[in-house]
Amino acid sequence: MSRPKTVYVCRDCGYKASRWMGRCPGCDEWNSLEEQRDVHGKAQSWAVQPNAAQAITAIEAAATRRASTGVDEFDRVLGGGVVPGSLVLVGGDPGVGKSTLLLQVSHQWAAQFGTVLYISGEESPQQLKLRAERLNALHPRLLILSETDMGQILAQIRQNLPQFVVVDSIQTVFSAELASAPGSVSQVRDAAASFLALAKSTGTSIVLVGHVTKAGALAGPRVLEHMVDVVCYFEGDPNTQLRILRAVKNRFGSTNEVGIFQMGQGGLAGIPDPSSVFLAGRPRLVPGSVVFPSCEGSRILLVELQALVTPAPFGGPPRRLASGIDYNRMCMLLAVLEKRRGLGLHSHDVYCNVAGGLRIAEPAADLGIALAVASSFRNQAPVEGLVAFGEVGLAGEVRGIARVEARIKEGIRLGFNRFLLPRTESQDLKKLAGEGISLLEAASLEEALELALP
Ligand code: TYD
Ligand code: MG
C-alpha cells in the first residue's frame, strides 16, 4: 500500500501538485502552492496511482523553464538561466572569486524575483555586508545566514522559503548526526544529498560552492559531481583580472559554454568582446606567435598561441613545458614535426603557452601549435594577419574540423585577412574569400608551413 499524499493547489491558477514547489508549473508564480485542507483542517490526499512504466511517446514534455539572473555570463554557462529546482555546483581555487560572483547573482535574483538565502560558513554577516556594499549588492530580500550546522540551515530554509539558495561553501556544512569531521567526504556527501532532496522537493534552486582541494583529508567538489545537475568551475590566475566560468556537466544545456569575467573594484563584470581582450598586447610579427580561433561553446574566441624553442643545454634532456594546452598533445606534435618535417627538436627545449590563461582542449589547435613551434625554431614570424586552425594527424596530414566558417568570420571581424585551414572537399568557403581575404588551404603540415612561413 502506498501512503496517501498531500495535495498542493496553486491559489492563482488552481494547478494541483503532489508536492510543494517554490514555483507553480502552471502559472510560474512563486510561492503560490498551498497545502489543501478539508473543512476539518486535515490535509487532503490524493488517491495515489502506483508509479507505473509508461511509453516515452506518451509523456508530455515540459519546456525547461529558466530564470535569467541578469548576470549574463553566469546565465550563459548554465544554458540560459537558472532552472527551478536545480542543484548547481560552482568549484574553484580559493580566492578566485566564487563568493563575489554568487553574491552578485544573489543580489540580482533578490532584486528581480524574490527571497534569496546566502549561507556562509566562512564569513560573518558583517564581512558579507562589507563586501555587498563594495559590490553595490544590497537588497532587503537578500537574506544572509552565517551557519555551518545542517539542522539549523534546513530550519532557516523552511522558515524563510527562499527561491534561491547559495551555500558557501559545501565543505563547511556539517551534520551533527555524523561522527566524521566537517569537510570529510561523508559530511560533504551527506550535506549535498540533503540539499539535493530539498531542491527537488521544493523547486528551490540551490548553488553549492566547493573549494578545489588537493587530494587529502578534505573532500573537493569532485566527489559531488555525479549528484548535482550542473557542475562549473571558476578558473583564473588570481594575479590577473581575467576569470573564466566553465561548465563541465549540465543536465539542462551544453557543457562547452564558458563565461568570461573581469575582476575589478566593483566585483566581476562580464566581458562582452573576449577576443579583443585575449589578443590585447599581442606582439606583431614575432616568431612563435600564432592566432587561433578557439571554439568555446556557442562562441568563437581568438587567442594567441605562443611557442619558444631554444637549444637545450649540452648533454641534458630537453625540457618541455605546456601551459593552457595538453602536454601529451604537444609532445605528439613535436614528434610529428621532427619526423615529417625534419625539425631537430630533440636537442631543443620547447615551451608552449596560451596567452591570457585560457585552456584549450580542441584538436583544432594542433596546426596553430605546430606552426608556432616551427616559427620559433626557424626564428621566422608567420605571415602577417594570419589565423590558423586544423587538426594534425600522425602522418603529418591536416584534417578537417568543425565550425570553419564561424572561425573565419570571427577572424575577419577582428581584422585578420589570412586563414590557414584544412583542405577538404565538402566545404564551400568561396563566398568568404575576396576583399583582401585569402584562404590558405593545406592538406599537410608541409604545405601549411610553406604557406605560413614562406
Ligand atoms: P572571493 O570571492 O572571496 O573568492 P573565493 O570565494 O573564490 O575564495 O574573491 C577573492 C578575491 O577577489 C580577493 O582577493 C579580492 C578580490 N576582489 C576584487 O578584486 N574586487 C571585488 O570587488 C571583490 C569583492 C573581491
Ligand atoms: Mg569565498
Side-chain angles (χ1 to χ4, degrees), residues 275 291-295 299-302 385-390 401-424 427-434 436-441:
S275 291
V291 174
F292 165 65
S294 168
C295 182
R299 271 194 295 205
I300 306 289
L301 304 181
L302 259 54
L386 183 82
V387 166
F389 52 88
I401 55 157
R403 302 199 58 201
V404 171
E405 207 177 314
R407 292 180 209 255
I408 295 176
K409 281 185 177 155
E410 177 70 0
I412 293 176
R413 189 179 74 78
L414 283 143
F416 292 88
N417 59 2
R418 289 198 177 97
F419 297 87
L420 182 65
L421 67 158
R423 180 185 303 135
T424 50
Q427 58 205 12
D428 180 22
L429 301 169
K430 299 256 161 24
K431 57 181 184 290
L432 290 170
I437 308 294
S438 45
L439 302 180
L440 315 174
E441 294 180 78

Side-chain angles (χ1 to χ4, degrees), residues 202-442:
T202 63
T204 312
S205 304
I206 304 181
V207 178
L208 308 177
V209 173
H211 293 297
V212 175
T213 52
K214 297 198 181 74
L218 291 184
R222 295 240 130 206
V223 302
L224 303 176
E225 283 187 349
H226 65 286
M227 298 171 77
V228 301
D229 298 310
V230 181
V231 179
C232 36
Y233 283 97
F234 207 29
E235 303 164 356
D237 180 352
N239 299 317
T240 71
Q241 300 191 317
L242 200 73
R243 300 286 183 275
I244 297 162
L245 186 68
R246 186 188 295 276
V248 297
K249 165 181 171 178
N250 191 348
R251 288 190 181 141
F252 314 113
S254 143
T255 50
N256 301 319
E257 224 45 85
V258 292
I260 299 174
F261 299 89
Q262 199 154 13
M263 178 69 96
Q265 279 305 310
L268 291 156
I271 299 180
D273 186 5
S275 291
S276 52
V277 173
F278 283 118
L279 293 184
R282 178 176 62 93
R284 300 289 161 99
L285 291 176
V286 161
S289 161
V290 173
V291 174
F292 165 65
S294 168
C295 182
E296 301 286 340
S298 55
R299 271 194 295 205
I300 306 289
L301 304 181
L302 259 54
V303 294
E304 184 198 351
L305 303 174
Q306 300 176 322
L308 185 67
V309 181
T310 54
F314 181 74
R319 275 176 67 92
R320 268 96 179 86
L321 204 114
S323 137
I325 57 169
D326 182 56
Y327 175 82
N328 292 324
R329 191 91 197 166
M330 177 191 76
C331 291
M332 187 206 90
L333 291 167
L334 299 184
V336 173
L337 281 168
E338 175 118 31
K339 180 86 178 171
R340 307 285 166 203
R341 300 300 319 127
L343 267 58
L345 294 167
H346 60 273
S347 57
H348 286 73
D349 294 342
V350 179
Y351 305 89
C352 285
N353 179 39
V354 180
L358 199 72
R359 263 212 329 261
I360 293 174
E362 273 189 292
D366 289 354
L367 189 57
I369 298 165
L371 181 57
V373 170
S375 157
S376 179
F377 181 80
R378 292 196 200 159
N379 209 16
Q380 179 191 353
V383 292
E384 209 178 347
L386 183 82
V387 166
F389 52 88
E391 183 180 342
V392 174
L394 290 179
E397 80 277 22
V398 176
R399 312 171 73 108
I401 55 157
R403 302 199 58 201
V404 171
E405 207 177 314
R407 292 180 209 255
I408 295 176
K409 281 185 177 155
E410 177 70 0
I412 293 176
R413 189 179 74 78
L414 283 143
F416 292 88
N417 59 2
R418 289 198 177 97
F419 297 87
L420 182 65
L421 67 158
R423 180 185 303 135
T424 50
E425 322 289 70
S426 57
Q427 58 205 12
D428 180 22
L429 301 169
K430 299 256 161 24
K431 57 181 184 290
L432 290 170
E435 302 255 343
I437 308 294
S438 45
L439 302 180
L440 315 174
E441 294 180 78

